[in-house]
Amino acid sequence: MKKILSLAAVLLLTLAAGAQIQRPRLVVGLVIDQMRWDYLYYYYDEYGTDGLRRLLNGGFSYENTHINYAPTVTAIGHSSIYTGSVPALTGIAGNYFYQDDKSVYCCEDRTVRSVGSDSREGQMSPRRMLTSTIGDELQLATDFRSKVIGVALKDRAAILPAGHAADAAYWWDTSAGHFVTSTFYMDRLPQWVEDFNRKNHTEPKFNIKTSNLGVTMTFKMAEAILQNEKLGKGQETDMLTVSISSTDAIGHEYGTRGKENHDVYMQLDKDLSHFLKALDEQVGAGNYLLFLTADHGGAHNYNYMKDHRIPAGAWNYKASVDGLNTHLQAKFGISPVMDEDNYQFYLNDSAIVSAGLKKQDVIDEAVSWLKKDPQFLYVFDEEKLSETTMPQWIKERMENGYFRGRSGEIGVVTRPQFFGAKDSPTYRGTSHGQPFPYDTHIPFLLYGWNIRHGATNAETHIVDIAPTICARLHIEMPNGCVGTAR
């Protein structure tokens, strides 16, 4: 009888072992800041075979992936990729936004200190993000035995993807010329990070973000994390989030065409090739699941477009703020518009209350005045968006992008290819933020563990990325997720 029971116990243990959930050893999220979808093919013939072309030729591409909210900016993009959610739920309403009549930065946190420098550039955390991320859910699924680490030059691009329960996030402190973190994560830098910083520092104040060196430095740090933290070598799946910031900074400065943009994507391809080889060597080819995407796209420069007879132009948002305040001063005796940001106008509640005015009267008057500007296709009261006549696809993106108390009271949609920038015949740069394809159409590639080669043109959204990854890991999707697993 005892022998039968022993055999039964062995059989049960064998079945249990065979039923173990299969997961990759490592998940890598790679975000290329401001990478338009068409860059996959615009530079395709010049890419090497081991970088972006390796992902395209060996992975699965969701060719019709769009951002389904506006404004389309960095902080929102990074948070949405990893939460599967939109600003209406995450609370990340922009890189900067207003709360209680005060401008705030999405990741600033004066309750923490910089670790690795004495500057305020390290006083950052994810506390303003109200929802969980892929990494948070991975930690919950493994009882916090997984390691989750984020890295980028931009603090928001390292912090928001890694999530609340991350083991670490590292970003570049320009004033110090090296990577730092904050006491949200740890009290001192690991020795290996201090060693890395000594070997790879730059002169303080050097703007590495506008240099191709920024691409290389980020991948070098990612490889150092991989090696020193032994990611992918434990009992549980680990996660590394990497964001390349220089592509955005260079795009803003020099636009979507020309030598500078070309060169940074050639550098990206070269460094990505090296990074993939490091993953193969340290984790094992086929043992990691990697996804590549972008936080937003970018508009072609308006001078470039006009040179080819394509309608385009610059919107002088400061002139709109000044003109609107002048009008409201004449009408109500106050100038209540604090600022324009994220294609939204922010009103000063305290000034309106002190003047004894009804806020709705001020909003209605402001909307009426702004509608006279031919640069705008639509001007609307954010709280009454459902009453506004506009195409449903634009309305949906505006609704998804609005968070009461952090977004502006009045939203605008400019004409296509008109974006907020200085109006100058010598201006070469670009920007982003609007609901049109040049800002919303982004790459989404899956590569590695259990990924078959292929592509689809089926409609996909940025918020579908997180549930797609979570479904493959057999873990719950983030708690504010609105996307669909693909």
Side-chain angles (χ1 to χ4, degrees):
M1 183 67 178
K2 287 182 179 180
K3 183 178 286 188
I4 293 173
L5 289 173
S6 296
L7 287 171
V10 170
L11 180 60
L12 285 171
L13 288 171
T14 302
L15 289 172
Q20 185 177 5
I21 297 299
Q22 297 299 306
R23 292 179 178 136
R25 290 164 58 181
L26 177 68
V27 178
V28 180
L30 179 57
V31 179
I32 313 302
D33 204 321
Q34 203 188 117
M35 184 176 185
R36 293 166 53 104
W37 164 81
D38 58 357
Y39 288 163
L40 288 174
Y41 303 102
Y42 183 70
Y43 296 121
Y44 182 87
D45 291 342
E46 296 184 72
Y47 293 143
T49 57
D50 298 323
L52 287 163
R53 283 170 64 175
R54 175 179 171 181
L55 300 187
L56 278 169
N57 297 340
F60 192 90
S61 180
Y62 296 85
E63 297 281 279
N64 193 27
T65 301
H66 282 266
I67 296 171
N68 60 332
Y69 57 77
T72 45
V73 297
T74 297
I76 302 178
H78 282 83
S79 60
S80 291
I81 289 165
Y82 288 89
T83 65
S85 194
V86 294
L89 296 177
T90 66
I92 300 300
N95 298 331
Y96 293 86
F97 44 85
Y98 280 80
Q99 283 185 264
D100 301 322
D101 293 344
K102 294 180 181 178
S103 178
V104 298
Y105 177 63
C106 60
C107 290
E108 70 174 313
D109 186 348
R110 298 299 177 238
T111 70
V112 300
R113 292 179 290 103
S114 178
V115 176
S117 75
D118 296 324
S119 80
R120 294 178 64 176
E121 291 188 51
Q123 291 185 275
M124 304 289 170
S125 84
R127 286 188 170 122
R128 280 194 168 85
M129 184 168 63
L130 306 179
T131 52
S132 67
T133 63
I134 301 170
D136 293 334
E137 297 300 330
L138 179 61
Q139 294 279 38
L140 287 164
T142 63
D143 292 326
F144 299 89
R145 292 188 298 269
S146 295
K147 279 188 179 181
V148 178
I149 299 176
V151 62
L153 297 182
K154 292 181 181 179
D155 53 76
R156 57 188 179 271
I159 292 168
L160 299 175
H164 302 275
D167 296 273
Y170 300 104
W171 56 94
W172 191 264
D173 185 332
T174 302
S175 67
H178 60 233
F179 282 102
V180 299
T181 188
S182 80
T183 52
F184 180 86
Y185 305 98
M186 62 191 74
D187 292 327
R188 63 165 295 169
L189 290 175
Q191 186 60 50
W192 72 262
V193 177
E194 293 184 355
D195 294 341
F196 180 93
N197 281 340
R198 276 194 294 272
K199 294 176 183 177
N200 296 282
H201 71 280
T202 66
E203 290 298 318
K205 305 296 184 181
F206 169 68
N207 189 358
I208 194 173
K209 294 185 183 76
T210 57
S211 165
N212 290 349
L213 176 62
V215 179
T216 303
M217 189 70 78
T218 306
F219 276 118
K220 284 181 70 174
M221 182 60 169
E223 290 182 32
I225 293 170
L226 191 68
Q227 181 175 4
N228 289 281
E229 296 293 345
K230 296 180 171 54
L231 297 187
K233 296 183 182 298
Q235 294 299 310
E236 303 289 356
T237 299
D238 296 323
M239 185 167 191
L240 175 62
T241 72
V242 184
S243 182
I244 305 302
S245 306
S246 293
T247 43
D248 179 72
I250 289 171
H252 276 292
E253 186 73 19
Y254 300 105
T256 60
R257 293 292 186 262
K259 182 179 186 301
E260 294 83 3
N261 198 66
H262 167 272
D263 289 354
V264 75
Y265 276 90
M266 295 302 105
Q267 189 67 53
L268 168 69
D269 185 58
K270 178 181 177 181
D271 292 337
L272 173 60
S273 172
H274 192 279
F275 181 59
L276 291 173
K277 289 177 183 176
L279 287 169
D280 291 342
E281 292 170 1
Q282 297 188 45
V283 184
N287 290 329
Y288 58 88
L289 173 62
L290 180 145
F291 67 89
L292 179 147
T293 188
D295 52 346
H296 55 76
H300 291 310
N301 176 271
Y302 58 80
N303 285 316
Y304 173 79
M305 297 294 272
K306 288 193 288 188
D307 285 345
H308 297 278
R309 302 186 302 278
I310 301 173
W315 169 41
N316 187 337
Y317 49 87
K318 186 179 185 303
S320 292
V321 170
D322 292 344
L324 181 55
N325 267 330
T326 297
H327 175 75
L328 295 175
Q329 177 71 40
K331 179 75 175 181
F332 298 110
I334 61 168
S335 299
V337 184
M338 295 184 292
D339 197 6
E340 179 282 327
D341 202 358
N342 305 315
Y343 295 87
Q344 299 164 357
F345 291 83
Y346 290 82
L347 301 182
N348 189 314
D349 288 338
S350 300
I352 293 171
V353 170
S354 296
L357 298 170
K358 292 181 179 180
K359 187 175 181 179
Q360 192 61 56
D361 291 342
V362 178
I363 292 173
D364 291 344
E365 185 64 29
V367 168
S368 179
W369 186 84
L370 287 169
K371 282 183 175 180
K372 297 175 184 177
D373 190 333
Q375 292 182 104
F376 302 135
L377 290 179
Y378 305 103
V379 180
F380 48 92
D381 177 347
E382 292 277 10
E383 288 285 324
K384 295 183 177 181
L385 184 56
S386 62
E387 303 172 15
T388 304
T389 300
M390 67 172 69
Q392 184 58 39
W393 65 271
I394 295 181
K395 183 179 292 188
E396 179 183 349
R397 292 178 183 189
M398 296 299 148
E399 288 174 337
N400 287 340
Y402 176 69
F403 188 96
R404 183 185 295 113
R406 296 187 181 184
S407 297
E409 287 85 353
I410 301 165
V412 296
V413 179
T414 66
R415 292 157 58 185
Q417 287 293 160
F418 278 68
F419 58 86
K422 60 183 178 181
D423 190 359
S424 166
T426 60
Y427 177 66
R428 296 179 56 198
T430 187
S431 192
H432 49 83
Q434 289 283 53
F436 301 115
Y438 49 81
D439 282 347
T440 67
H441 195 185
I442 56 174
F444 173 29
L445 297 167
L446 288 177
Y447 180 85
W449 182 79
N450 284 358
I451 300 300
R452 61 182 176 85
H453 173 55
T456 179
N457 281 307
E459 184 177 6
T460 309
H461 296 119
I462 190 172
V463 295
D464 297 333
I465 297 173
T468 296
I469 300 302
C470 289
R472 289 180 175 273
L473 298 179
H474 299 286
I475 63 176
E476 185 58 271
M477 64 184 67
N479 57 25
C481 183
V482 298
T484 302
R486 303 293 178 182

